[in-house]
Short mmCIF file of all heavy atoms in Angstrom, two decimals:
data_model
loop_
_atom_site.label_atom_id
_atom_site.label_comp_id
_atom_site.label_asym_id
_atom_site.label_seq_id
_atom_site.Cartn_x
_atom_site.Cartn_y
_atom_site.Cartn_z
N PHE A 152 10.82 -18.73 5.83
CA PHE A 152 11.64 -18.18 4.79
C PHE A 152 12.15 -19.20 3.72
O PHE A 152 11.93 -18.88 2.53
CB PHE A 152 12.83 -17.46 5.38
CG PHE A 152 13.54 -16.60 4.39
CD1 PHE A 152 12.85 -15.71 3.63
CD2 PHE A 152 15.00 -16.41 4.48
CE1 PHE A 152 13.54 -14.80 2.69
CE2 PHE A 152 15.67 -15.64 3.58
CZ PHE A 152 14.95 -14.84 2.77
N GLY A 153 12.42 -20.37 4.24
CA GLY A 153 12.78 -21.46 3.24
C GLY A 153 11.67 -21.98 2.61
O GLY A 153 11.64 -22.32 1.44
N LEU A 154 10.49 -22.24 3.32
CA LEU A 154 9.34 -22.80 2.80
C LEU A 154 8.81 -21.79 1.61
O LEU A 154 8.14 -22.35 0.57
CB LEU A 154 8.35 -23.01 3.88
CG LEU A 154 8.58 -23.98 4.92
CD1 LEU A 154 7.49 -23.95 5.93
CD2 LEU A 154 8.69 -25.35 4.21
N GLU A 155 8.99 -20.52 1.77
CA GLU A 155 8.57 -19.58 0.72
C GLU A 155 9.36 -19.91 -0.55
O GLU A 155 8.76 -19.87 -1.71
CB GLU A 155 8.77 -18.16 1.19
CG GLU A 155 8.52 -17.16 0.10
CD GLU A 155 8.56 -15.74 0.61
OE1 GLU A 155 9.31 -15.51 1.57
OE2 GLU A 155 8.12 -14.82 -0.13
N SER A 156 10.66 -20.18 -0.37
CA SER A 156 11.43 -20.43 -1.53
C SER A 156 11.10 -21.77 -2.14
O SER A 156 11.05 -21.93 -3.41
CB SER A 156 12.97 -20.56 -1.17
OG SER A 156 13.51 -19.30 -0.89
N ALA A 157 10.68 -22.73 -1.34
CA ALA A 157 10.15 -24.02 -1.88
C ALA A 157 8.86 -23.88 -2.60
O ALA A 157 8.83 -24.49 -3.66
CB ALA A 157 9.93 -25.03 -0.70
N ARG A 158 8.02 -22.97 -2.14
CA ARG A 158 6.77 -22.61 -2.92
C ARG A 158 7.20 -22.00 -4.23
O ARG A 158 6.55 -22.40 -5.37
CB ARG A 158 5.97 -21.79 -2.11
CG ARG A 158 5.17 -22.47 -1.00
CD ARG A 158 4.06 -21.53 -0.41
NE ARG A 158 4.58 -20.39 0.16
CZ ARG A 158 4.89 -20.21 1.46
NH1 ARG A 158 4.83 -21.31 2.28
NH2 ARG A 158 5.37 -19.07 1.90
N ASN A 159 8.09 -21.18 -4.32
CA ASN A 159 8.59 -20.59 -5.47
C ASN A 159 9.10 -21.51 -6.49
O ASN A 159 8.97 -21.47 -7.74
CB ASN A 159 9.57 -19.44 -5.21
CG ASN A 159 8.91 -18.22 -4.60
OD1 ASN A 159 7.79 -17.95 -4.65
ND2 ASN A 159 9.75 -17.40 -3.86
N LEU A 160 9.85 -22.54 -5.93
CA LEU A 160 10.48 -23.55 -6.80
C LEU A 160 9.38 -24.37 -7.33
O LEU A 160 9.38 -24.74 -8.64
CB LEU A 160 11.40 -24.42 -5.92
CG LEU A 160 12.14 -25.53 -6.70
CD1 LEU A 160 12.93 -24.99 -7.80
CD2 LEU A 160 13.01 -26.34 -5.65
N ARG A 161 8.33 -24.73 -6.65
CA ARG A 161 7.23 -25.51 -7.16
C ARG A 161 6.54 -24.72 -8.31
O ARG A 161 6.07 -25.37 -9.36
CB ARG A 161 6.23 -25.91 -6.07
CG ARG A 161 6.72 -27.00 -5.22
CD ARG A 161 5.56 -27.47 -4.28
NE ARG A 161 4.95 -26.51 -3.47
CZ ARG A 161 5.43 -26.24 -2.21
NH1 ARG A 161 6.46 -26.88 -1.74
NH2 ARG A 161 4.84 -25.32 -1.51
N ILE A 162 6.29 -23.42 -8.10
CA ILE A 162 5.58 -22.59 -9.17
C ILE A 162 6.45 -22.57 -10.42
O ILE A 162 6.00 -22.70 -11.48
CB ILE A 162 5.37 -21.13 -8.57
CG1 ILE A 162 4.35 -21.20 -7.41
CG2 ILE A 162 4.97 -20.26 -9.60
CD1 ILE A 162 4.22 -20.00 -6.71
N ALA A 163 7.73 -22.46 -10.18
CA ALA A 163 8.69 -22.43 -11.38
C ALA A 163 8.61 -23.69 -12.16
O ALA A 163 8.57 -23.68 -13.41
CB ALA A 163 10.15 -22.08 -10.87
N ARG A 164 8.54 -24.82 -11.41
CA ARG A 164 8.48 -26.10 -12.08
C ARG A 164 7.22 -26.25 -12.92
O ARG A 164 7.25 -26.72 -14.06
CB ARG A 164 8.63 -27.23 -11.03
CG ARG A 164 9.02 -28.62 -11.73
CD ARG A 164 9.06 -29.74 -10.64
NE ARG A 164 10.00 -29.41 -9.49
CZ ARG A 164 11.26 -29.42 -9.49
NH1 ARG A 164 12.02 -29.69 -10.61
NH2 ARG A 164 12.00 -29.12 -8.48
N HIS A 165 6.17 -25.75 -12.32
CA HIS A 165 4.85 -25.82 -13.08
C HIS A 165 4.93 -24.89 -14.32
O HIS A 165 4.28 -25.24 -15.32
CB HIS A 165 3.78 -25.35 -12.09
CG HIS A 165 3.25 -26.44 -11.27
ND1 HIS A 165 3.90 -26.90 -10.20
CD2 HIS A 165 2.06 -27.21 -11.30
CE1 HIS A 165 3.13 -27.89 -9.59
NE2 HIS A 165 2.08 -28.16 -10.32
N GLN A 166 5.52 -23.79 -14.23
CA GLN A 166 5.61 -22.75 -15.30
C GLN A 166 6.50 -23.43 -16.49
O GLN A 166 6.03 -23.37 -17.60
CB GLN A 166 6.23 -21.48 -14.76
CG GLN A 166 5.39 -20.64 -14.02
CD GLN A 166 6.08 -19.41 -13.44
OE1 GLN A 166 7.20 -19.52 -12.98
NE2 GLN A 166 5.38 -18.26 -13.55
N VAL A 167 7.59 -24.04 -16.21
CA VAL A 167 8.37 -24.69 -17.18
C VAL A 167 7.65 -25.74 -17.85
O VAL A 167 7.56 -26.00 -18.99
CB VAL A 167 9.73 -25.01 -16.71
CG1 VAL A 167 10.54 -25.73 -17.72
CG2 VAL A 167 10.60 -23.72 -16.32
N ALA A 168 7.05 -26.52 -17.00
CA ALA A 168 6.30 -27.70 -17.50
C ALA A 168 5.14 -27.34 -18.35
O ALA A 168 4.88 -27.96 -19.39
CB ALA A 168 5.75 -28.58 -16.20
N ALA A 169 4.50 -26.32 -17.96
CA ALA A 169 3.27 -25.86 -18.72
C ALA A 169 3.80 -25.42 -20.17
O ALA A 169 3.22 -25.72 -21.15
CB ALA A 169 2.62 -24.70 -18.00
N ALA A 170 4.91 -24.77 -20.17
CA ALA A 170 5.48 -24.30 -21.50
C ALA A 170 5.90 -25.49 -22.40
O ALA A 170 5.89 -25.35 -23.55
CB ALA A 170 6.62 -23.30 -21.36
N MET A 171 6.24 -26.58 -21.75
CA MET A 171 6.73 -27.69 -22.49
C MET A 171 5.55 -28.68 -22.71
O MET A 171 5.77 -29.70 -23.58
CB MET A 171 7.71 -28.58 -21.62
CG MET A 171 9.07 -27.82 -21.40
SD MET A 171 10.20 -28.89 -20.51
CE MET A 171 10.65 -30.21 -21.64
N GLY A 172 4.43 -28.50 -22.11
CA GLY A 172 3.37 -29.38 -22.25
C GLY A 172 3.72 -30.74 -21.45
O GLY A 172 3.34 -31.88 -21.94
N ALA A 173 4.25 -30.56 -20.36
CA ALA A 173 4.76 -31.62 -19.52
C ALA A 173 4.02 -31.79 -18.20
O ALA A 173 3.51 -30.83 -17.73
CB ALA A 173 6.34 -31.57 -19.29
N GLU A 174 4.20 -33.00 -17.56
CA GLU A 174 3.81 -33.08 -16.25
C GLU A 174 4.82 -32.48 -15.34
O GLU A 174 6.06 -32.76 -15.42
CB GLU A 174 3.61 -34.73 -15.89
CG GLU A 174 2.76 -35.42 -16.87
CD GLU A 174 3.55 -35.96 -18.00
OE1 GLU A 174 4.72 -35.51 -18.42
OE2 GLU A 174 3.17 -37.04 -18.64
N PRO A 175 4.44 -31.67 -14.39
CA PRO A 175 5.38 -30.93 -13.47
C PRO A 175 6.32 -31.86 -12.83
O PRO A 175 7.54 -31.44 -12.60
CB PRO A 175 4.44 -30.09 -12.58
CG PRO A 175 3.24 -29.94 -13.25
CD PRO A 175 2.99 -31.12 -13.99
N ASP A 176 5.90 -32.96 -12.35
CA ASP A 176 6.74 -33.87 -11.57
C ASP A 176 7.73 -34.61 -12.40
O ASP A 176 8.64 -35.31 -12.01
CB ASP A 176 5.94 -34.78 -10.72
CG ASP A 176 5.13 -35.81 -11.46
OD1 ASP A 176 4.93 -35.54 -12.79
OD2 ASP A 176 4.73 -36.80 -11.00
N ARG A 177 7.66 -34.30 -13.80
CA ARG A 177 8.64 -34.98 -14.73
C ARG A 177 9.62 -34.08 -15.33
O ARG A 177 10.49 -34.43 -16.10
CB ARG A 177 7.89 -35.71 -15.81
CG ARG A 177 6.73 -36.68 -15.48
CD ARG A 177 7.27 -37.65 -14.55
NE ARG A 177 8.27 -38.61 -15.15
CZ ARG A 177 8.93 -39.51 -14.42
NH1 ARG A 177 8.69 -39.73 -13.11
NH2 ARG A 177 9.82 -40.18 -15.05
N VAL A 178 9.74 -32.79 -14.81
CA VAL A 178 10.63 -31.79 -15.13
C VAL A 178 11.65 -31.60 -14.10
O VAL A 178 11.39 -31.27 -12.93
CB VAL A 178 9.93 -30.50 -15.54
CG1 VAL A 178 10.90 -29.39 -15.73
CG2 VAL A 178 8.99 -30.65 -16.62
N PHE A 179 12.99 -31.80 -14.45
CA PHE A 179 14.05 -31.72 -13.51
C PHE A 179 15.02 -30.61 -14.03
O PHE A 179 15.56 -30.69 -15.07
CB PHE A 179 14.71 -33.03 -13.29
CG PHE A 179 13.80 -34.05 -12.88
CD1 PHE A 179 13.08 -34.88 -13.72
CD2 PHE A 179 13.66 -34.29 -11.50
CE1 PHE A 179 12.15 -35.84 -13.29
CE2 PHE A 179 12.63 -35.08 -11.11
CZ PHE A 179 11.99 -35.99 -11.88
N PHE A 180 15.32 -29.67 -13.08
CA PHE A 180 16.11 -28.55 -13.49
C PHE A 180 17.69 -28.88 -13.47
O PHE A 180 18.13 -29.71 -12.68
CB PHE A 180 15.96 -27.36 -12.48
CG PHE A 180 14.64 -26.68 -12.51
CD1 PHE A 180 13.79 -26.77 -11.51
CD2 PHE A 180 14.28 -26.09 -13.69
CE1 PHE A 180 12.50 -26.22 -11.65
CE2 PHE A 180 13.07 -25.47 -13.77
CZ PHE A 180 12.13 -25.57 -12.83
N THR A 181 18.30 -28.41 -14.46
CA THR A 181 19.81 -28.58 -14.67
C THR A 181 20.42 -27.20 -14.81
O THR A 181 19.81 -26.10 -14.71
CB THR A 181 20.01 -29.41 -15.97
OG1 THR A 181 19.70 -28.65 -17.08
CG2 THR A 181 19.31 -30.77 -15.88
N SER A 182 21.67 -27.24 -15.11
CA SER A 182 22.43 -25.98 -15.34
C SER A 182 22.33 -25.61 -16.80
O SER A 182 22.70 -24.41 -17.06
CB SER A 182 23.96 -26.04 -14.96
OG SER A 182 24.56 -27.03 -15.91
N GLY A 183 21.67 -26.18 -17.63
CA GLY A 183 21.53 -25.85 -18.98
C GLY A 183 21.30 -27.12 -19.93
O GLY A 183 21.22 -28.17 -19.48
N GLY A 184 21.26 -26.76 -21.19
CA GLY A 184 20.95 -27.79 -22.18
C GLY A 184 22.25 -28.81 -22.28
O GLY A 184 22.00 -30.05 -22.35
#
C-alpha cells in the first residue's frame, strides 16, 4: 500500500518535471512558491 503511494509520487515528480522541462530528480516538492 505504501509502495503504491511511492510509485504515485514518482509519477507526479515526472509530470511536474516534464511541464517545467526539467530533470525529474532535480524537482523537489514544497508547500508552495
Side-chain angles (χ1 to χ4, degrees):
F152 192 39
L154 294 174
E155 181 182 10
S156 288
R158 285 193 294 271
N159 290 338
L160 182 60
R161 286 195 297 273
I162 292 170
R164 199 180 309 280
H165 277 77
Q166 288 175 315
V167 172
M171 294 181 68
E174 307 90 335
D176 65 343
R177 306 306 298 175
V178 173
F179 299 91
F180 291 116
T181 67
S182 67

